[in-house]
């Protein structure tokens, strides 16, 4: 009986650790995209991106003034969706 | 302020008064006999929108502290997103930003990136965890996580300082809109604004503020979109401004027109800021946005962690509607302005206005203009009357030239706010659209002011007064204290709005840098590190804040302390690595992180119950 309870405890603590690790992975992954569009394409390497174009605009300029914002919106919605999945899995594990 | 904008660079520099709107409109002697067809519409729209706000405020009145400070934690995610968007977008975002981008061209990206990218940080790194922590205010989190009453008090004072300087600009914005559109005195406008905010904030607290903000979002976004769609259709043939921005050849035409005038291309980056400076300003605006207390506190009002995530997503979507339209409007308006004014014929001088400039009186001519294409420019006459636009025929040839070589441009003054304000007239829209823009600007200013006032009141009443002077107060007494404090905050905001102390105008432009250098690292490390302790976090905040504030004061000594200094102690040519004070918050933030981590490493880890608190905050539900 005592043994059962301690295994259960370890399981829960494992689940918590996994949850946090997966959460960090999601955050780091999405922030990488945030950095690429918001900083690399829009500021640091904007001239390189300006060599390309989207419609009639230089690509770097478009990222700096519009594209990044569109990507930012998507990132936050994707984050909320991914976390929903993570929450569900965590709830299932904890329920067991 | 700015007198000779021969090129976009010096034109842009006047923008740093953000978000305090240029008061020079008011100095102009506005022609009394001139009747404006938009006036009755403006009264009607403002009146109707105010009645709606008051009705909502009355419907959402509250009786308990949870309702008063966090709207009972029952705001649906999407509604909170709209409220956050209105809370966030101020009079300056609404009226000033498109003009600012039109002036700075490609580099205008700092505002666009900075004021939206911060929401990604907020959504992924702060909002869900702070919602899990619960309670009512940001200082409460700092106080509990760093097991420190000092930390709580310092955070409360920082929140009050940032919010008071910020709210001054909003209240003044309300007065300026009233005086511009209805020609009533600025003070009168501020008092009306105060009365409206007082009604719904005192009765409804956060709940009243939230639901009026939702309504205000729709007013401001419709008011922004109608003129933008109209001018996009007119100039590019695309009704969707974002599409017109990408798909039309207007950028090529604008670039060519600017080159012909002796300026650099619109899409050319780093015309106004160096790469490093641009980077630093963007970082400071982004991380500052994520650290502003009046934005963070909105995420305390939703049901649970999941709702906090989705409401951040709705918030950035609602904000993006305006923020992706603004750069398109900026480009269209800049092009249109050059097309209309360059080579315009000065038909005749129809009037003069007396203005006060640098303490001396001077009279300025108002001209009637006809564009090179033969279109009479009535809007230009109207804006000359308000002195937001000034033309000088320097070479007396009877034509306006925008050629910028040797400061020869004959457009000697152009206030950034004209870009948004004049769009309806330029696009030939009916007068009621102009009235709608006025109502939209007021919605933007009032919604932001209300959110800030709640932070001031919750910091004063909840974090300081009740805790230290009335710890045994009943629920009814606590709410009453909250109501009284918010009422006093409104009086204070109105007063600083009408009589802004010199330093307020100066510091408000740097509120983001200060928030980035103080709040962001403390909250972030509080969630993501179990090792950062009391001493580390507090010394980090103090170092970050002090460094940033010191640099700002060094660079702006002549404005902050005009009685002691007549020029900045640190002139632009000696900026550290060329980083301007707006971007220095980035350095302050890095210093804060470094100090917090190193000091924590050298001192003992946080106690067990704090580690438990962190683990609890990291888990959902």
């Amino acid at each position: 009986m005592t043994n059962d309870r301690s295994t259960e405890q370890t399981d829960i603590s494992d689940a918590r650790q996994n949850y946090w690790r997966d959460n960090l992975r999601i955050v780091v992954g999405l922030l990488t995209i945030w950095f690429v569009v918001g900083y690399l394409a829009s500021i640091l390497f904007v001239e390189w991106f300006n060599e390309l174009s989207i419609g009639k605009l230089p690509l770097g300029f478009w990222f700096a003034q519009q594209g990044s914002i569109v990507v930012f919106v998507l990132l936050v919605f994707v984050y909320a969706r991914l976390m929903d999945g993570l929450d569900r899995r965590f709830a299932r594990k904890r329920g067991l | 302020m700015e007198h000779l904008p021969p090129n976009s660079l010096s034109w842009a520099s006047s923008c740093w008064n953000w978000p305090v709107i240029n008061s020079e409109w008011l100095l102009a002697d506005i022609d009394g006999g001139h009747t404006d067809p938009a006036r009755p519409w403006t009264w009607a729209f403002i009146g109707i929108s105010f009645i709606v706000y008051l009705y909502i405020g009355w419907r959402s009145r509250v009786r308990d502290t949870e309702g008063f400070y966090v709207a009972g934690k029952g705001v649906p995610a999407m509604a909170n997103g709209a409220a956050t968007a209105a809370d966030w977008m101020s009079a300056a975002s609404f009226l000033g930003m498109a003009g600012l981008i039109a002036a700075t061209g490609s580099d205008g990206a700092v505002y666009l990136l900075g004021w939206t990218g911060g929401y990604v940080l907020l959504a992924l790194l702060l909002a869900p965890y702070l919602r899990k922590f619960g309670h009512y205010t940001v200082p409460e989190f700092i106080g509990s996580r760093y097991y420190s009453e000092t930390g709580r008090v310092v955070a409360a004072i920082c929140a009050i300082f940032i919010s008071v300087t910020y709210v001054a600009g909003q209240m003044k914005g309300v007065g300026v809109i009233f005086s511009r559109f209805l020609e009533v005195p600025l003070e009168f406008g501020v008092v009306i604004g105060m009365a409206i905010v007082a009604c719904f904030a005192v009765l409804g607290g956060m709940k009243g503020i939230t639901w009026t903000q939702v309504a205000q979002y729709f007013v401001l976004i419709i008011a922004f979109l109608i003129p933008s769609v109209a001018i996009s259709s007119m100039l590019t043939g695309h009704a969707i401004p974002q599409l017109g921005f990408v798909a039309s050849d207007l950028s090529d035409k604008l670039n060519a027109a600017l080159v012909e005038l002796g300026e650099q291309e619109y899409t050319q980056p780093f015309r106004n800021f160096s790469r490093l400076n641009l980077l630093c300003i963007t970082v400071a605006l982004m991380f500052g946005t994520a650290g502003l207390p009046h934005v963070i506190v909105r995420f305390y009002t939703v049901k649970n962690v999941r709702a906090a995530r989705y409401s951040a997503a709705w918030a950035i979507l609602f904000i993006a509607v305006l923020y992706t339209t603004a750069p398109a409007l900026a480009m269209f308006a800049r092009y249109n302005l050059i097309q209309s004014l360059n080579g315009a014929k000065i038909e005749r001088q129809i009037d003069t206005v007396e203005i006060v400039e640098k303490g001396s009186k001077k009279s300025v001519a108002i001209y009637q203009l006809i564009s090179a294409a033969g279109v009479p420019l009535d809007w230009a006459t109207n804006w000359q009357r308000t002195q937001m636009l000034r033309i000088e025929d320097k070479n007396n040839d009877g034509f306006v030239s925008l050629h910028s070589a040797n400061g020869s441009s004959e457009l000697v003054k152009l206030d950034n706010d004209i870009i948004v304000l004049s769009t309806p007239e330029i696009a030939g829209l009916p007068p009621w659209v102009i009235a709608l823009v006025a109502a939209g600007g007021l919605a933007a200013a009032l919604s932001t002011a209300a959110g800030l006032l709640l932070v001031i009141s919750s910091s004063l009443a909840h974090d300081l007064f009740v805790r230290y002077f009335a710890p045994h107060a009943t629920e009814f007494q606590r709410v009453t204290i909250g109501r009284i404090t918010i009422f006093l905050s409104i009086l204070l905001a109105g007063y600083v709005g009408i009589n802004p102390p010199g330093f307020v105008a100066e510091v408000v432009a740097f509120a983001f840098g200060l928030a980035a250098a103080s709040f962001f690292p403390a909250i972030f490390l509080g969630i993501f590190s179990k090792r950062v302790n009391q001493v580390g976090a507090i010394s980090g905040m103090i170092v970050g804040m002090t460094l940033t504030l010191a640099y700002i004061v060094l660079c702006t000594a002549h404005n902050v302390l005009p009685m002691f200094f007549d020029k900045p102690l640190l002139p632009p040519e000696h900026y550290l690595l060329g980083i301007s004070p707006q971007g220095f918050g980035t350095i302050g933030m890095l210093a804060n992180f470094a100090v917090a981590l190193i000091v924590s490493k050298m001192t003992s880890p946080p106690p067990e119950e704090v580690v438990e608190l962190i683990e609890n905050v990291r888990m959902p539900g």
Side-chain angles (χ1 to χ4, degrees), chain A residues 23 44 47 56 65-66 84, chain B residues 105 129 246 275 306 310 324:
Chain A
N23 175 24
L44 294 171
E47 290 100 331
K56 305 270 178 155
Q65 297 219 335
Q66 201 159 71
D84 277 352
Chain B
Y129 311 104
V246 179
R275 192 184 311 261
R306 182 168 181 267
Y310 277 97
T324 53

Side-chain angles (χ1 to χ4, degrees), chain A residues 16 19-20 23 34 39 43-44 46-47 54 56-57 62 64-66 68 72-73 76-77 79 81 83-84 87, chain B residues 105 109 113 117 123 129 242 245-248 251 270 275 279 283 286 306 309-310 313 324 327 618-620:
Chain A
R16 290 168 80 99
Y19 177 86
W20 183 243
N23 175 24
W34 165 84
Y39 288 94
I43 301 173
L44 294 171
V46 62
E47 290 100 331
I54 174 166
K56 305 270 178 155
L57 286 180
W62 181 75
Q65 297 219 335
Q66 201 159 71
S68 297
F72 293 161
V73 174
V76 183
F77 273 100
Y79 168 73
R81 285 306 291 272
M83 292 306 287
D84 277 352
D87 284 359
Chain B
L113 292 170
Y129 311 104
Q242 286 83 348
F245 185 58
V246 179
S248 75
S251 59
F270 312 121
R275 192 184 311 261
L279 181 73
V283 170
M286 267 200 205
R306 182 168 181 267
R309 294 188 198 122
Y310 277 97
T324 53
R618 288 177 177 185
M619 291 301 127

Side-chain angles (χ1 to χ4, degrees), chain B residues 250-270:
Chain B
L250 211 68
S251 59
D252 291 334
K253 288 202 242 168
L254 175 56
N255 281 342
L258 282 170
V259 169
E260 204 172 293
L261 294 175
E263 291 187 36
Q264 280 176 297
E265 293 190 342
Y266 188 78
T267 53
Q268 170 74 40
F270 312 121

Side-chain angles (χ1 to χ4, degrees), chain A residues 12-13 15-21 23-24 26-32 34-35 37-48 50 53-58 60-88 90-91 94, chain B residues 101 105-110 112-113 116-121 123-125 128-129 241-243 245-252 255 266-270 275 278-279 282-284 286-287 305-306 309-310 312-314 316-317 320 323-325 327-328 330-331 527-528 612 615-616 618-621:
Chain A
I12 290 175
S13 126
R16 290 168 80 99
Q17 272 180 11
N18 288 343
Y19 177 86
W20 183 243
R21 193 199 54 216
N23 175 24
L24 288 182
I26 292 173
V27 168
V28 170
L30 295 174
L31 285 184
T32 309
W34 165 84
F35 181 76
V37 295
Y39 288 94
L40 298 186
S42 301
I43 301 173
L44 294 171
F45 298 104
V46 62
E47 290 100 331
W48 293 10
N50 275 346
S53 57
I54 174 166
K56 305 270 178 155
L57 286 180
F61 174 82
W62 181 75
F63 266 117
Q65 297 219 335
Q66 201 159 71
S68 297
I69 302 176
V70 176
V71 176
F72 293 161
V73 174
L74 293 175
L75 288 177
V76 183
F77 273 100
V78 168
Y79 168 73
R81 285 306 291 272
L82 290 176
M83 292 306 287
D84 277 352
L86 202 58
D87 284 359
R88 264 198 303 274
F90 179 65
R94 218 166 38 167
Chain B
I101 298 163
S106 180
D107 294 347
V110 288
L112 295 163
L113 292 170
T116 54
Y119 275 84
V120 180
L121 297 171
L124 273 58
L125 302 176
Y129 311 104
Q242 286 83 348
L243 194 66
F245 185 58
V246 179
S248 75
D249 54 357
L250 211 68
S251 59
D252 291 334
N255 281 342
Y266 188 78
T267 53
Q268 170 74 40
F270 312 121
R275 192 184 311 261
L278 196 103
L279 181 73
T282 308
V283 170
M286 267 200 205
F287 288 79
V305 174
R306 182 168 181 267
R309 294 188 198 122
Y310 277 97
W314 288 115
I316 187 172
L317 176 69
Y323 272 61
T324 53
T325 308
M331 193 169 86
I527 299 161
F528 286 84
E612 259 168 45
E615 289 198 331
N616 178 42
R618 288 177 177 185
M619 291 301 127

